[in-house]
Amino acid sequence: MSESSNIPLRTSRDALRGRRVLVIGAGGLGCPALLALADSGAELVIADDDTVELSNLHRQILFDEESVGRDKLDAVRDALVRLGIPETSIELVRSRFLPDNARELARSVDLVLEGADNFATKFLAADACRLERRPIVHGAAIRFVATVWCVAPEGRPCYRCLFEDVPDGDAQPNCNDAGVLGPVVGFAGALMADRALRVLTGVDPPYGRIATYDGRRDVLREVPVPPRGACPLCGPSPRISEIDETRYTAPSCAA
Ligand SMILES: [Zn+2]
């Protein structure tokens, strides 16, 4: 039996008690991730300002038709409480993850799960976690493909090693146009939770390796991400040393 098989399972509730996890976005990625983390014992901090929409129910698996029109946060809290999670272990942040609250939110937790639906938020989360020395798990899904990877607290390689900057609006894939398969998003969210448990327990955290799942071919690959020599965030001469809101201005749907 390998060492990596020693991840606490049912015992993780005690192991993670008092640890705080911020989940950015209670959508298609956040819902399955929260479901998988619900029994971990960690405190769940959830940031979102959206409402539940009927068209998203197929991938936002904590909601049902009675949730439509409600604030996602209220619907998520009720769903988690129904699962037996103490309400005191759930903290709701009724806001998007924004430049003016990003660093404070990152600083207040032990780990960030980024399941945002736009690239601007993804880069913002990457930058805030690097600046606050917090680990982050990034998740994304579009059409048949899901990607998940995590960045260490010291943050190298980081999100900007892979994607240097926020893409132009026209260059961004949009899941409203391209579509996204519900089970693929669910798989990505569950994988984010797996990475979160590995980071929080310190058992084989897969830093610097990106997992890509192709739902058409049923193939999960994991490959290393090489550090970018001149990375503006984690390179030897980083240009990003603060959160400048003008840097995050190209919102578009990615999950
Ligand atoms: Zn980097």
Side-chain angles (χ1 to χ4, degrees):
M1 187 174 286
S2 70
E3 186 179 338
S4 62
S5 67
N6 293 333
I7 295 176
L9 297 176
R10 294 295 297 184
T11 58
S12 65
R13 171 164 278 201
D14 287 330
L16 300 184
R17 194 176 299 280
R19 309 296 296 278
R20 286 165 55 83
V21 179
L22 170 65
V23 178
I24 300 174
L29 296 164
C31 281
L34 284 163
L35 186 61
L37 289 174
D39 198 35
S40 71
E43 293 181 26
L44 303 173
V45 184
I46 312 163
D48 203 304
D49 72 344
D50 211 349
T51 54
V52 179
E53 295 182 25
L54 182 64
S55 61
N56 294 336
L57 289 185
H58 70 291
R59 62 178 188 263
Q60 297 179 1
I61 57 175
L62 287 175
F63 308 137
D64 55 24
E65 290 192 21
E66 292 185 4
S67 307
V68 173
R70 298 186 69 200
D71 285 352
K72 281 184 182 174
L73 289 185
D74 293 328
V76 162
R77 178 201 56 217
D78 292 352
L80 293 174
V81 168
R82 279 197 298 273
L83 290 171
I85 307 307
E87 195 167 341
T88 52
S89 297
I90 305 166
E91 182 176 323
L92 306 180
V93 179
R94 296 184 185 277
S95 169
R96 295 174 66 89
F97 189 79
L98 296 169
D100 61 5
N101 65 11
R103 290 191 68 166
E104 182 180 353
L105 282 171
R107 193 185 314 135
S108 73
V109 297
D110 298 289
L111 170 68
V112 173
L113 262 64
E114 177 275 295
D117 64 358
N118 66 83
F119 283 100
T121 304
K122 291 175 179 294
F123 279 91
L124 173 61
D127 294 353
C129 285
R130 165 71 185 183
L131 294 174
E132 294 296 336
R133 299 293 190 268
R134 293 293 188 271
I136 180 169
V137 179
H138 294 283
I142 194 158
R143 303 192 71 190
F144 302 96
V145 177
T147 56
V148 174
W149 70 304
C150 52
V151 176
E154 60 272 23
R156 183 165 175 82
C158 75
Y159 195 75
R160 287 183 184 272
C161 289
L162 194 60
F163 309 105
E164 187 169 3
D165 209 343
V166 182
D168 293 336
D170 292 344
Q172 298 188 28
N174 183 315
C175 69
N176 289 328
D177 298 331
V180 62
L181 199 64
V184 171
V185 188
F187 184 84
L191 205 56
M192 290 174 72
D194 168 79
R195 276 27 178 183
L197 292 176
R198 289 163 66 177
V199 169
L200 289 171
T201 58
V203 179
D204 192 24
Y207 293 132
R209 303 198 297 272
I210 186 167
T212 302
Y213 175 70
D214 184 336
R216 273 177 305 190
R217 295 187 297 148
D218 199 21
V219 172
L220 177 64
R221 297 177 63 229
E222 193 174 72
V223 296
V225 177
R228 186 191 293 264
C231 178
L233 184 61
C234 75
S237 302
R239 299 192 302 276
I240 297 172
S241 58
E242 59 183 356
I243 300 296
D244 177 350
E245 66 178 18
T246 63
R247 201 178 282 126
Y248 316 98
T249 56
S252 185
C253 184

